[in-house]
């Protein structure tokens, strides 16, 4: 559709132009007037006070995520006048909407106490009203801001208030959002099973509504919770199911977030090739969005990809470039140092490899995923083994082995067992060598049985499908 003053009407065409200038030119840094000035110029054209307040609300809701500072300034300037003006129920409802908008803008600025103050003022005005849906909505907003401040008891208080009202109105989307918020709270309280249960319920509602962005968000939350809990196979299954929806949502943040976590999960289970596929997709999307300019994020992604492809000198060059472009001495997470250390290890630069891997090990302490720390320990053990210093390699392998046992990381447990068996055998420590040999044999048998069972199930399904196909063809011939 071509937007013009004839198709939209003069006033709404002006709004469209202002939104375009705010969302496009201001973000690209062109020499335009400020967003606040553009909006204010439009508001000054309003014929009546009510129209001016409605325009502020419409424009503010459209831009508060990208321009929270502008919205805070405009709404704070207009709110006292709007409050005095409001005498009817509809007018007071408009003032409440403006107050909620101000709270959302404060939240985007991470000014959570100010956001809570705005939401509470609306909550206190509507708590005794007949509009149960409105009270429910505002209670969720207050609870969410308290959660941001880790004030979980206050969040539970407002969730309880919301729960009392839920059967008094019918709004599936709002109910599903409440389930998401309850899942977030359970996750923050380290109750992953409860969190996953809430997220599944929310996912089912969003799917029934056909709300793909929200359904993809619920899938992501389920997968992320399972991933953090260490259930990597189930996390991957859920995330792949969610990504079937998420990949259709071009330009939406949830698609980028889905790709990020799929990269992490595939690295965690040791499937570097699949991680590389998602990394290529992320690089392509990044270039489309930002252009081919050199950037620390792009260089980091390219470096990780080169490592997976086996081009270790290129991986070192690109990961080093990423650090130089960022102006930092360290990457934000352990993964960059981990791949840099492994690349140095593969090119026999052992001292530099050890230095990078020890940095990665320190950074991995901030991550709940046991795989991250265990992998760093295994790599450090490999460096010491290549340096022919087995007494220093063994403690690293043993710590990785214990983490693998504790977190049911069977592939990693088998790898550590093999290393420890070899080293203890070389050291003449027969009892420990035998222990690790027996353990790696048990794991191999278990993994083999699991793979055989999976292959058998696949072959059985294929055979049944072929039989049904032949039967159908025979019937058609008859």
């Amino acid at each position: 559709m071509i937007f013009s003053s004839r198709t939209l009407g003069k006033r709404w065409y002006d709004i469209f132009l202002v939104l375009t200038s705010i969302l496009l030119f201001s973000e690209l840094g062109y020499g335009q007037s400020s967003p606040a000035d553009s909006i204010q110029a439009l508001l000054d054209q309003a014929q009546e006070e009510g129209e001016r307040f409605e325009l502020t609300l419409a424009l503010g809701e459209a831009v508060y995520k990208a321009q929270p500072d502008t919205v805070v300034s405009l709404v704070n300037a207009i709110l006292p006048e709007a409050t005095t003006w409001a005498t009817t129920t509809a007018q007071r409802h408009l003032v409440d909407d403006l107050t909620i908008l101000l709270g959302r803008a404060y939240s985007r600025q991470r000014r959570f106490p100010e956001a809570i103050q705005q939401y509470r003022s609306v909550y206190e005005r509507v708590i005794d009203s007949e509009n149960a849906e409105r009270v429910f909505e505002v209670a969720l907003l207050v609870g969410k801001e308290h959660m941001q401040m880790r004030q979980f008891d206050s969040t539970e208080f407002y969730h309880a208030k919301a729960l009392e009202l839920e059967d008094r109105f019918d709004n599936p989307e709002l109910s599903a959002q409440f389930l998401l918020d309850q899942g977030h709270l359970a996750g923050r309280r380290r109750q992953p099973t409860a969190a996953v249960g809430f997220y599944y319920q929310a996912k089912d509602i969003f799917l029934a509504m056909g709300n793909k962005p929200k359904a993809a968000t619920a899938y992501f939350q389920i997968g992320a919770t399972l991933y953090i809990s260490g259930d990597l196979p189930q996390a991957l299954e859920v995330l792949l199911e969610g990504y079937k929806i998420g990949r259709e949502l071009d330009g939406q943040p949830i698609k980028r977030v889905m790709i990020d976590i799929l990269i992490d999960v595939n690295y965690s289970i040791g499937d570097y090739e699949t991680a590389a596929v998602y990394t290529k997709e992320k690089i392509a999307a990044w270039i489309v969005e930002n252009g081919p300019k050199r950037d620390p994020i792009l260089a980091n992604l390219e470096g990780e990809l080169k490592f997976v492809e086996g081009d270790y000198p290129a991986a070192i060059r690109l990961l080093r470039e990423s650090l130089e472009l960022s102006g930092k001495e360290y990457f934000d997470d352990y993964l960059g140092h981990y791949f840099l250390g492994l690349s140095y290890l593969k090119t026999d630069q052992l001292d530099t490899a050890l230095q990078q891997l020890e940095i990665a090990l320190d950074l991995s302490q901030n991550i709940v995923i046991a795989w991250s720390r265990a992998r760093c320990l295994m790599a450090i053990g490999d460096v010491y083994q290549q340096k022919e210093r087995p007494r220093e390699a063994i403690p690293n392998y043993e710590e990785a082995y214990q983490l693998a046992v504790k977190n049911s990381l069977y592939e990693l447990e088998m790898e550590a067992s093999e290393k420890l068996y070899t080293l203890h055998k070389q050291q003449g420590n027969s009892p420990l060598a035998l222990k690790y040999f027996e353990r790696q044999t048990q794991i191999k048998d278990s993994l083999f049985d699991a793979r055989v069972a999976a292959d058998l199930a696949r072959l059985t399904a294929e055979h049944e499908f072929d039989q049904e196909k032949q039967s159908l063809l025979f019937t058609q011939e008859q």
Side-chain angles (χ1 to χ4, degrees):
M1 178 180 180
I2 303 300
F3 291 111
S4 68
S5 58
R6 294 180 62 186
T7 59
L8 288 175
K10 178 69 169 65
R11 174 51 47 80
W12 291 106
Y13 181 61
D14 289 344
I15 292 173
F16 173 75
L17 291 178
V18 171
L19 288 176
T20 302
S21 69
I22 292 169
L23 297 176
L24 177 61
F25 296 115
S26 66
E27 292 207 1
L28 294 179
Y30 295 138
Q32 307 292 324
S33 59
S34 74
D37 292 340
S38 300
I39 295 176
Q40 191 60 58
L42 179 60
L43 295 178
D44 289 342
Q45 299 175 27
Q47 301 294 321
E48 300 176 0
E49 284 185 321
E51 184 182 8
R52 187 155 54 92
F53 302 145
E54 289 172 355
L55 284 172
T56 302
L57 179 64
L59 289 166
E61 287 181 339
V63 304
Y64 79 90
K65 291 182 180 179
Q67 299 286 344
D69 296 348
T70 299
V71 173
V72 165
S73 174
L74 288 171
V75 177
N76 268 323
I78 210 171
L79 198 54
E81 185 182 351
T83 303
T84 304
W85 160 82
T87 55
T88 68
T89 301
Q91 290 170 347
R92 281 192 288 269
H93 192 91
L94 175 60
V95 172
D96 287 342
D97 284 340
L98 284 167
T99 307
I100 289 172
L101 171 63
L102 180 58
R104 292 186 193 278
Y106 276 136
S107 184
R108 294 292 291 186
Q109 293 177 321
R110 303 193 68 78
R111 295 166 63 180
F112 303 126
E114 289 96 329
I116 289 173
Q117 183 181 359
Q118 299 305 316
Y119 295 148
R120 274 184 175 169
S121 67
V122 177
Y123 182 79
E124 288 165 4
R125 280 198 297 274
V126 300
I127 184 65
D128 295 323
S129 72
E130 294 298 318
N131 192 342
E133 184 174 340
R134 184 69 157 184
V135 181
F136 182 92
E137 177 190 6
V138 181
L140 294 193
L141 290 170
V142 182
K144 186 176 291 186
E145 300 305 318
H146 279 296
M147 199 187 315
Q148 294 280 14
M149 298 177 68
R150 303 188 66 82
Q151 297 170 349
F152 301 140
D153 290 342
S154 295
T155 300
E156 282 190 347
F157 171 81
Y158 284 100
H159 279 189
K161 293 294 183 185
L163 201 58
E164 294 172 3
L165 301 166
E166 194 172 14
D167 60 352
R168 290 172 53 188
F169 63 92
D170 182 23
N171 185 331
E173 184 168 1
L174 198 54
S175 297
Q177 182 59 54
F178 182 33
L179 289 165
L180 283 181
D181 289 353
Q182 287 177 296
H184 298 335
L185 180 60
R188 293 287 189 92
R189 287 194 177 278
R190 300 186 183 279
Q191 300 166 346
T193 304
V196 166
F198 287 125
Y199 292 143
Y200 265 114
Q201 292 179 66
K203 180 261 297 180
D204 291 341
I205 294 174
F206 287 131
L207 283 176
M209 293 174 59
N211 190 332
K212 291 184 176 181
K214 286 287 190 179
T217 300
Y219 272 115
F220 167 78
Q221 294 293 352
I222 296 165
T225 305
L226 292 168
Y227 176 42
I228 291 170
S229 304
D231 191 347
L232 302 186
Q234 185 65 22
L236 185 59
E237 182 180 334
V238 170
L239 289 167
L240 287 173
E241 192 176 345
Y243 189 58
K244 291 175 185 175
I245 299 172
R247 71 184 310 157
E248 301 172 9
L249 306 174
D250 289 329
Q252 298 209 25
I254 186 60
K255 181 176 180 179
R256 294 194 294 271
V257 172
M258 276 282 193
I259 292 174
D260 286 343
I261 195 169
L262 280 167
I263 292 171
D264 288 347
V265 173
N266 279 287
Y267 277 143
S268 296
I269 62 176
D271 189 349
Y272 284 22
E273 291 183 1
T274 303
V277 171
Y278 289 114
T279 302
K280 288 177 182 176
E281 189 172 348
K282 184 174 180 179
I283 290 171
W286 196 96
I287 292 174
V288 167
E289 188 173 337
N290 300 282
K293 63 180 180 180
R294 299 310 295 165
D295 179 274
I297 296 174
L298 181 60
N300 193 339
L301 290 169
E302 291 174 339
E304 292 176 5
L305 190 58
K306 288 297 181 185
F307 172 83
V308 174
E309 293 172 350
D311 189 348
Y312 306 120
I316 292 170
R317 176 178 56 79
L318 287 163
L319 289 167
R320 280 293 180 193
E321 180 190 354
S322 175
L323 284 174
E324 289 168 8
L325 289 170
S326 69
K328 298 178 181 178
E329 188 177 353
Y330 303 108
F331 290 105
D332 292 333
D333 61 22
Y334 87 98
L335 207 53
H337 291 288
Y338 175 70
F339 282 119
L340 191 53
L342 287 180
S343 299
Y344 281 124
L345 174 60
K346 296 288 187 180
T347 53
D348 294 324
Q349 301 177 60
L350 301 183
D351 290 334
T352 312
L354 187 60
Q355 179 188 21
Q356 291 297 322
L357 290 168
E358 285 177 342
I359 294 172
L361 183 64
D362 286 341
L363 291 172
S364 73
Q365 294 176 3
N366 302 324
I367 304 172
V368 236
I369 313 298
W371 181 92
S372 308
R373 183 169 179 78
R375 273 290 169 200
C376 291
L377 289 163
M378 289 294 294
I380 291 171
D382 291 344
V383 174
Y384 281 122
Q385 189 172 7
Q386 208 158 315
K387 281 173 165 281
E388 298 182 353
R389 291 159 61 178
R391 293 186 183 279
E392 291 167 273
I394 287 173
N396 287 284
Y397 289 144
E398 284 182 341
E399 188 176 347
Y401 173 82
Q402 294 300 330
L403 282 170
V405 171
K406 184 178 178 182
N407 294 277
S408 303
L409 304 172
Y410 298 115
E411 297 272 5
L412 193 57
E413 184 183 351
M414 183 176 69
E415 184 182 339
S417 297
E418 289 174 349
K419 303 269 189 185
L420 288 165
Y421 161 69
T422 301
L423 286 176
H424 282 301
K425 185 180 177 183
Q426 290 173 353
Q427 298 286 306
N429 193 336
S430 300
L432 281 176
L434 179 61
K435 167 191 167 182
Y436 289 114
F437 178 77
E438 289 176 345
R439 184 56 189 151
Q440 67 169 292
T441 304
Q442 291 169 356
I443 298 171
K444 278 181 180 176
D445 290 343
S446 299
L447 291 174
F448 177 77
D449 290 343
R451 287 170 185 150
V452 167
D455 289 341
L456 184 61
R458 177 178 55 80
L459 291 170
T460 302
E462 289 175 357
H463 176 65
E464 290 174 352
F465 175 76
D466 287 338
Q467 283 186 319
E468 289 177 7
K469 184 178 178 182
Q470 292 298 326
S471 176
L472 179 61
L473 287 172
F474 178 77
T475 303
Q476 288 174 339
E477 288 173 2
Q478 290 296 319

